[in-house]
Amino acid sequence: EAQVTQNPRYLITVTGKKLTVTCSQNMNHEYMSWYRQDPGLGLRQIYYSMNVEVTDKGDVPEGYKVSRKEKRNFPLILESPSPNQTSLYFCASKLGGPTGELFFGEGSRLTVL
Amino acid sequence: GNSVTQMEGPVTLSEEAFLTINCTYTATGYPSLFWYVQYPGEGLQLLLKATKADDKGSNKGFEATYRKETTSFHLEKGSVQVSDSAVYFCALSDKGNNRLAFGKGNQVVVIP
């Protein structure tokens, strides 16, 4: 089954404790992206990747890191989480090109205390 | 830069009513336009899209027409069901840099 898989789905952590949210897709998509969803702000892009070893900042990259060492994986790293990073995070992927459908994971709800 | 504006506030309506959600955009060039839907507890999924001016996207009874002259992509459905209750996002994809910009979303609640 074609899918984007994120882990963990739910996480409660404390300020400053490094964490990684994994994302994996099985559709051989070139493009992958991370978004955060907050009430009243909609979906905002954190980082995206056009292909292996190619990553770019989105609209809200501060406090986050990503890597794209393999085509299928695109982990999101919070080196020193802060409470303002409490949010619902979505990973998504699609084939290259501007008209393709974006496939989303089910989301990871992160709470930073 | 590119941006998408959706009408403010949730939309509450009765079953079988007509639904319209407004979406306008700002972009250089000719972007592709999308509507995504998010059902409770799930990720977003594509509802419909249009890739050039005057194209009409349609799916599950929903329609939207790419209007370049008014820079709009309004979503419509003639008779909503309770199962259409969800959050709806308008989005555009810039052909130049392949990024998607999303609107803030509209919560739609359909009452039996």
Side-chain angles (χ1 to χ4, degrees):
Chain A
E1 179 190 353
Q3 59 186 3
V4 178
T5 303
Q6 298 177 225
N7 281 296
R9 295 287 314 281
Y10 302 91
L11 179 64
I12 300 174
T13 189
V14 296
T15 299
K17 185 175 182 182
K18 180 179 177 180
L19 68 92
T20 298
V21 186
T22 63
C23 174
S24 180
Q25 50 93 5
N26 63 0
M27 296 168 279
N28 202 36
H29 286 167
E30 292 90 1
Y31 181 97
M32 297 186 75
S33 182
W34 276 103
Y35 295 86
R36 59 179 290 174
Q37 184 178 18
D38 301 289
L41 298 177
L43 235 61
R44 294 180 292 168
Q45 190 176 45
I46 303 170
Y47 270 95
Y48 65 102
S49 169
M50 301 284 281
N51 214 323
V52 175
E53 302 292 1
V54 180
T55 62
D56 277 298
K57 294 178 180 179
D59 300 313
V60 288
E62 296 78 20
Y64 305 94
K65 286 175 55 177
V66 293
S67 68
R68 187 90 182 274
K69 294 186 171 59
E70 306 164 283
K71 198 171 189 179
R72 64 183 293 127
N73 296 325
F74 191 46
L76 179 70
I77 302 155
L78 285 72
E79 294 269 4
S80 183
S82 62
N84 64 12
Q85 293 179 297
T86 292
S87 187
L88 179 59
Y89 291 87
F90 287 100
C91 180
S93 72
K94 69 181 181 84
L95 291 171
T99 63
E101 175 182 355
L102 200 56
F103 290 84
F104 283 81
E106 293 183 306
S108 296
R109 184 165 292 283
L110 171 66
T111 302
V112 183
L113 301 175
Chain B
N2 298 334
S3 66
V4 175
T5 302
Q6 291 181 234
M7 50 193 277
E8 293 287 331
V11 178
T12 303
L13 57 169
S14 299
E15 205 164 20
E16 299 183 2
F18 185 87
L19 170 69
T20 299
I21 305 176
N22 289 341
C23 170
T24 57
Y25 67 89
T26 302
T28 53
Y30 303 99
S32 295
L33 300 173
F34 306 83
W35 277 99
Y36 282 83
V37 59
Q38 183 181 29
Y39 297 105
E42 299 182 11
L44 284 73
Q45 55 187 274
L46 180 67
L47 180 59
L48 53 85
K49 70 177 184 182
T51 59
K52 62 183 189 296
D54 300 324
D55 265 3
K56 177 186 283 189
S58 61
N59 185 26
K60 299 182 181 181
F62 290 88
E63 291 183 340
T65 302
Y66 188 163
R67 303 276 188 211
K68 188 164 76 75
E69 62 277 12
T70 54
T71 61
S72 65
F73 193 54
H74 304 321
L75 182 68
E76 297 181 336
K77 186 174 184 182
S79 177
V80 294
Q81 306 300 313
V82 172
S83 57
D84 294 324
S85 298
V87 181
Y88 292 82
F89 292 90
C90 186
L92 72 81
S93 176
D94 186 327
K95 290 186 170 66
N97 63 19
N98 204 18
R99 289 184 58 188
L100 258 79
F102 283 86
K104 292 185 178 180
N106 285 103
Q107 173 84 51
V108 172
V109 177
V110 180
I111 300 169

